[in-house]
Amino acid sequence: MFGAVFLLIAALLLGALPFTSGDRDSAATDDTIRIYVLSNGFHSDIALPRLDGATMQKLSLSEADYPVNIDDVRYWAVGWGSKTAYTSLLAISDLSFGIATKALAFDEAVMYVTPFGQLSAGPRVYAFDLSQTEYDLLISALSEWFLSRTPQDVTQGFGDRFYAAKGRFSPWMTCNSWTGQRLRQIRINVGVWTPISQSLEFGLQRVASKS
């Protein structure tokens, strides 16, 4: 019990502590590419613009693997996390002691890709404008976590796909800490450690685009 409380306090404190990795070109111009970070209160994803198929090509993924009308897709949300939690949780109310225990016990990790239509900044939808260099760095950082580009035989039913991923889910390496790491790689200065959505959103609220 004490250990869980300590981890929670540490997560909140380190999530509020800005990670400083230098300045970046954050002003939006005609050449910038807008991404979004999505949070539902317990999980986060990074949403990348489709760019007429260029984004999936750079990720070495096939749009043909997705049972959706590709012309309706504007963004692909990419995340990493526990296979057990991903495939069992559609809402926070689905969380059970058994699911949490299995996920936190170094569960198998998966990459998760979901198609979205048009997005805009709003509650728990955080916008960032990246230079082409930053965007390419982000794509490279995401690509490194795929162990396979062959979709697994499981889905949440949203036209989504799962892929084998590097790493193992744990109390200190969660979907939200993974998102925070990827953002810090492109000098988006969210908190130092962001294992829960609240610690990640502390930083997102501070540094996301306001328009």
Side-chain angles (χ1 to χ4, degrees):
M1 179 67 179
F2 176 78
V5 172
F6 175 80
L7 283 175
L8 177 60
I9 293 173
L12 293 174
L13 290 175
L14 292 175
L17 181 65
F19 177 86
T20 55
S21 58
D23 296 329
R24 56 179 294 267
D25 295 329
S26 58
T29 70
D30 291 340
D31 297 326
T32 56
I33 300 171
R34 173 156 287 199
I35 68 164
Y36 294 90
V37 179
L38 315 178
S39 174
N40 62 9
F42 60 92
H43 172 75
S44 57
D45 290 305
I46 300 173
L48 312 170
R50 179 172 176 255
L51 301 179
D52 294 325
T55 288
M56 292 292 266
Q57 289 177 4
K58 289 182 177 182
L59 289 171
S60 298
L61 299 176
S62 173
E63 292 187 334
D65 288 333
Y66 292 78
V68 295
N69 183 349
I70 292 299
D71 291 337
D72 293 336
V73 177
R74 295 293 178 270
Y75 282 84
W76 295 103
V78 180
W80 176 96
S82 156
K83 184 174 182 178
T84 298
Y86 259 134
T87 57
S88 304
L89 299 176
L90 296 181
I92 190 63
S93 58
D94 297 328
L95 183 62
S96 67
F97 178 78
I99 291 173
T101 300
K102 185 174 180 180
L104 293 172
F106 297 92
D107 190 31
E108 176 184 351
V110 288
M111 296 295 292
Y112 181 54
V113 181
T114 312
F116 276 84
Q118 193 59 49
L119 293 172
S120 59
R124 290 187 161 159
V125 180
Y126 302 92
F128 294 92
D129 294 304
L130 308 185
S131 68
Q132 184 65 59
T133 298
E134 289 171 330
Y135 189 71
D136 289 343
L137 180 60
L138 176 61
I139 291 290
S140 178
L142 297 176
S143 293
E144 291 177 357
W145 285 82
F146 286 85
L147 277 179
S148 170
R149 262 64 177 189
T150 301
Q152 297 186 347
D153 187 23
V154 62
T155 176
Q156 287 190 344
F158 304 120
D160 50 290
R161 289 290 180 261
F162 290 91
Y163 304 84
K166 293 180 180 179
R168 290 276 179 172
F169 193 88
S170 72
W172 47 88
M173 183 57 178
T174 69
C175 54
N176 295 299
S177 58
W178 180 90
T179 298
Q181 287 177 357
R182 305 291 76 72
L183 296 176
R184 290 192 297 272
Q185 280 186 273
I186 56 172
R187 295 186 178 182
I188 292 177
N189 295 325
V190 294
V192 171
W193 184 47
T194 58
I196 59 177
S197 60
Q198 291 77 13
S199 57
L200 177 64
E201 290 192 64
F202 281 154
L204 293 173
Q205 291 168 2
R206 183 177 61 247
V207 298
S209 172
K210 306 305 180 185
S211 59

